[in-house]
Amino acid sequence: MRIQDLPYPDPGVPDARSGPRFLWWLFRNQLGGQLKSLAWGLLHFTAVCGLPFCVGLAVQAVVDRSGERLAWTGGLMALCAAGVALGELLLHRAAVTNWITAAARVQQLLARRTAQLGSALTRRVAAGEVVAVSTGDVEKIGWFVEAVSRFTAAALTVVLVCVGLVVYQPALGIVVAVGVPVLALAVLPLLPKATRRADHQREKAGRATELASDTVAGLRVLRGIGGEELFLERYRRASQEVRHAAVRSARMWALISAIQVLLPGLLMIAVVWYGVHLAREGRISVGELVTVYSSVMLLTYPLRHFEEIAMAYSFSRPSAKRAARVLSLKRATDTEGSREAVVPSGDLYDPETGLLAPADRFTAVVCGDPDAAGLLAERLGGHPAEEGTSVLLGGVPLDELPLSSARAAVLVQDKDPVLLSGSLRELLDVPASGAVSAEEALTAAQCNDVLDSLVQGSLEADDPMDARITERGRSLSGGQRQRLALARSLITDPEVLVLDEPTSAVDSHTEARIAEGVRSLRASRTTVVFTSSPLLLDRADRVVLVHEGQVEAVGTHRELIHGEPRYRAVVTRETDDEAAPHEVLDGGTNPHDEKTTAVRGPAAHRVLEEIGLEEIEETA
């Protein structure tokens, strides 16, 4: 796999049972790149460690006054130098490729899992943790995956050098062969403590990231209530905790690095002392002593990769664990889709609640609990938070459809839609049927003033479609963001459109026009709106009251406002005192008659507005 070939056509199915298993899966899936890195690493390290032998041969040739041997040695040194340069160049290229491709694979896997889980992701994993995994953690995972091949090359080189020294000069070679494993394993007792400190640092950093993202997301509200300083102080404390944890972790890694410098130095002192003793006794030549000393000195280069692999694993293990945790999450109904990728049509029915949304009709759903409404909206879209009976569309269970088909059939817009940064044209460039134009959708969503606002705020855009929208639409008001999101949903023109409180942030006049626009534009489609707004309810073909997870009443808005106390309590927001016994204005007719029922208190005015002036005259 080359960098220019990214992204992967298919990143594969990861082994997310644990962090180490996930790392091993990543390593196996780019085995070709690892073997390339290993080959170039062996060339580079063996060429580096071959230089001391050349130096020893050259010194001995000078001592023996042999010009021919010195010339051959010079040629051999040039060959080693070329190997060092070529190996370093291609090793670095292969290592960086392995790093980037491994990180890209993890990012693709995370993006795919995020898309599959949808809104259920942030209910299971904190948003700050998701950000940490998809940014810093993927780099640490890629670092370890690519470092494995370099470490393997370094380890093989160390073994070859030790064996070569034992054969070349047994007396000093045995000393080196015994001392090198001690150097490599000396830091192992310190690694668990260093890993714990690194884990603690990452936990603090993840908490600080989560706190920062929450603060930025709610900055406008915080400024409105004067609470930004409180949250900034909390972030300062979290940031200081991260700094203290990072310093403690750095101290431990500094100690490990110091040991990796000290012990090789002690080994070189021992080799020189013992070698000089052997040279004085005439048991070794000067050239052999120089060769062994130079070999030990250059062995510190591949030995540094032992420290690096320890650091890489210590940092990547918790990162891989977090990534595996996210990748192991599944939808409550995670099937591969046994049916063909055909978008069904027909009535939308939820067997669990009894909610029925007839095809090509405008159905409004009233829930007293906003959280329950959001969960039910997600169920209707095939994204249930918990396992249960599947929602049926035209008699076809959504759970049995491929995810792409289910999402093409039913589109759910939640109560807090997100606008990505970019131009308005890019925002509205979404998969669509082509039956609804951008102008029609924007008109139905009453976005004329939003377009004017975007043009005024953009100095370079004369066309509103080219106006820039900031991240999450923060430069727009809540109502403007809602209307743009609604227009985006209308453009897609799905078979079923589920809207959760689409007009909660707009004024009543705009809300009335939006209700008419959506009803007109979606005349031949199925639309389900979760709302308690009388203006939307009054324009719905069918209104359904859901109470405690079950359908309690079905009818029109005007029928339910008079005949169903629970519905009236939700829509009019009346209190228990205001919901006192209703009086019959004409004295004695059926109290459930929609023409004669009245309420007391302030709620009466709201109810009379819902009934209409003509009905007030009739009851009088």
Side-chain angles (χ1 to χ4, degrees):
M1 187 68 181
R2 296 175 300 175
I3 295 178
Q4 56 262 39
D5 296 329
L6 294 174
Y8 289 95
D10 180 12
V13 180
D15 186 350
R17 288 176 290 177
S18 66
R21 287 178 182 271
F22 180 57
L23 291 173
W24 173 241
W25 178 85
L26 285 173
F27 180 84
R28 287 189 292 108
N29 275 270
Q30 55 181 69
L31 192 57
Q34 298 291 344
L35 292 177
K36 287 182 180 179
S37 180
L38 175 62
W40 297 125
L42 284 173
L43 172 63
H44 174 65
F45 291 129
T46 52
V48 169
C49 293
L51 290 173
F53 290 94
C54 296
V55 172
L57 292 175
V59 170
Q60 193 62 42
V62 171
V63 171
D64 296 340
R65 299 180 181 275
S66 173
E68 182 179 358
R69 283 164 50 195
L70 185 61
W72 280 105
T73 303
L76 187 60
M77 290 183 68
L79 184 62
C80 287
V84 170
L86 180 63
E88 170 68 14
L89 173 65
L90 297 178
L91 171 61
H92 181 73
R93 180 187 177 91
V96 171
T97 301
N98 289 337
W99 188 338
I100 294 177
T101 52
R105 186 187 295 272
V106 177
Q107 286 182 323
Q108 278 189 254
L109 291 170
L110 290 170
R112 184 175 67 179
R113 183 59 61 184
T114 301
Q116 289 173 345
L117 291 172
S119 60
L121 175 64
T122 51
R123 289 201 301 268
R124 303 185 192 181
V125 182
E129 183 172 351
V130 176
V131 173
V133 171
S134 59
T135 53
D137 283 343
V138 295
E139 294 185 3
K140 296 181 179 66
I141 292 171
W143 176 27
F144 173 75
V145 171
E146 72 84 11
V148 170
S149 55
R150 289 190 293 113
F151 164 73
T152 305
L156 290 175
T157 302
V158 169
V159 172
L160 289 175
V161 170
C162 289
V163 172
L165 288 177
V166 170
V167 174
Y168 177 71
Q169 178 45 249
L172 288 177
I174 292 176
V175 175
V176 176
V178 172
V180 166
V182 175
L183 299 182
L185 303 177
V187 298
L188 286 182
L190 300 177
L191 289 180
K193 189 173 183 179
T195 302
R196 286 194 299 270
R197 290 190 178 185
D199 291 346
H200 180 66
Q201 174 195 351
R202 279 184 290 276
E203 289 176 4
K204 294 293 185 181
R207 171 56 183 159
T209 301
E210 181 180 349
L211 186 60
S213 62
D214 291 343
T215 302
V216 172
L219 191 57
R220 177 176 294 183
V221 177
L222 292 175
R223 285 176 175 171
I225 63 176
E228 65 269 24
E229 284 299 327
L230 174 63
F231 275 78
L232 287 175
E233 181 59 31
R234 290 181 182 178
Y235 180 75
R236 291 189 188 99
R237 290 198 299 268
S239 178
Q240 289 302 311
E241 290 177 0
V242 174
R243 184 178 68 83
H244 290 307
V247 170
R248 294 184 71 248
S249 177
R251 287 173 179 169
M252 183 55 64
W253 288 111
L255 177 60
I256 292 175
S257 298
I259 292 175
Q260 292 284 43
V261 173
L262 175 63
L263 293 183
L266 295 177
L267 177 61
M268 282 191 289
I269 292 174
V271 167
V272 171
W273 179 82
Y274 187 52
V276 170
H277 175 71
L278 294 177
R280 284 179 176 177
E281 294 180 352
R283 297 169 57 183
I284 63 173
S285 65
V286 175
E288 291 174 333
L289 175 59
V290 172
T291 298
V292 175
Y293 168 77
S294 301
S295 299
V296 174
M297 181 178 66
L298 290 182
L299 270 180
T300 57
Y301 174 54
L303 280 175
R304 285 205 299 269
H305 290 75
F306 286 71
E307 176 191 355
E308 182 187 4
I309 197 66
M311 292 182 64
Y313 181 73
S314 298
F315 280 93
S316 66
R317 184 182 59 82
S319 297
K321 181 179 178 181
R322 283 198 294 268
R325 180 191 173 199
V326 175
L327 294 175
S328 64
L329 297 176
K330 297 182 180 295
R331 298 171 61 225
T333 54
D334 201 358
T335 61
E336 294 297 327
S338 57
R339 296 178 179 266
E340 296 182 359
V342 177
V343 179
S345 60
D347 297 345
L348 183 68
Y349 177 65
D350 180 19
E352 190 164 305
T353 61
L355 173 62
L356 173 66
D360 305 333
R361 302 288 295 278
F362 188 162
T363 302
V365 182
V366 176
C367 288
D369 183 359
D371 294 332
L375 294 176
L376 180 54
E378 292 178 0
R379 267 188 60 78
L380 294 180
H383 319 300
E386 299 176 356
E387 294 185 4
T389 307
S390 174
V391 172
L392 306 177
L393 178 60
V396 179
L398 288 181
D399 294 356
E400 296 183 7
L401 293 174
L403 184 61
S404 58
S405 298
R407 288 186 172 174
V410 184
L411 173 65
V412 179
Q413 177 183 303
D414 60 24
K415 61 172 59 70
D416 187 23
V418 175
L419 303 182
L420 301 179
S421 60
S423 68
L424 181 58
R425 194 184 309 277
E426 293 170 338
L427 174 70
L428 300 181
D429 184 16
V430 293
S433 67
V436 178
S437 65
E439 292 75 13
E440 291 173 327
L442 291 168
T443 300
Q446 300 298 309
C447 293
N448 292 332
D449 65 313
V450 183
L451 300 181
D452 294 338
S453 176
L454 288 174
V455 171
Q456 292 175 2
S458 180
L459 300 177
E460 300 178 354
D462 296 328
D463 187 349
M465 299 298 291
D466 295 325
R468 301 293 298 178
I469 298 175
T470 58
E471 182 205 3
R472 299 178 67 92
R474 299 189 191 282
S475 60
L476 303 173
S477 67
Q480 291 174 328
R481 288 196 299 269
Q482 267 192 342
R483 284 178 280 165
L484 285 179
L486 177 59
R488 180 179 58 187
S489 299
L490 293 174
I491 286 178
T492 61
D493 190 36
E495 183 68 28
V496 179
L497 177 60
V498 180
L499 303 172
D500 187 7
E501 294 289 355
T503 58
S504 60
V506 302
D507 60 82
S508 58
H509 298 289
T510 304
E511 187 176 31
R513 293 194 296 268
I514 289 175
E516 288 294 342
V518 172
R519 179 185 175 91
S520 174
L521 194 62
R522 298 280 303 173
S524 61
R525 295 291 196 181
T526 305
T527 306
V528 181
V529 179
F530 286 81
T531 183
S532 60
S533 166
L535 293 169
L536 285 175
L537 295 169
D538 191 45
R539 286 160 177 79
D541 299 319
R542 174 187 175 92
V543 179
V544 180
L545 172 64
V546 177
H547 180 68
E548 295 182 354
Q550 293 295 323
V551 172
E552 292 290 334
V554 180
T556 64
H557 169 59
R558 301 194 180 206
E559 290 171 354
L560 296 178
I561 198 70
H562 297 297
E564 181 54 53
R566 288 198 186 98
Y567 179 83
R568 183 169 50 249
V570 174
V571 174
T572 64
R573 279 80 167 177
E574 64 183 6
T575 64
D576 293 338
D577 292 338
E578 293 172 341
H582 294 74
E583 295 182 348
V584 180
L585 296 180
D586 60 2
T589 59
N590 185 351
H592 296 291
D593 190 335
E594 63 185 67
K595 300 290 186 178
T596 61
T597 304
V599 295
R600 294 177 178 176
H605 299 285
R606 290 191 294 269
V607 175
L608 291 177
E609 291 176 357
E610 301 302 329
I611 298 174
L613 181 58
E614 69 281 5
E615 294 186 276
I616 297 175
E617 294 175 350
E618 292 180 19
T619 57

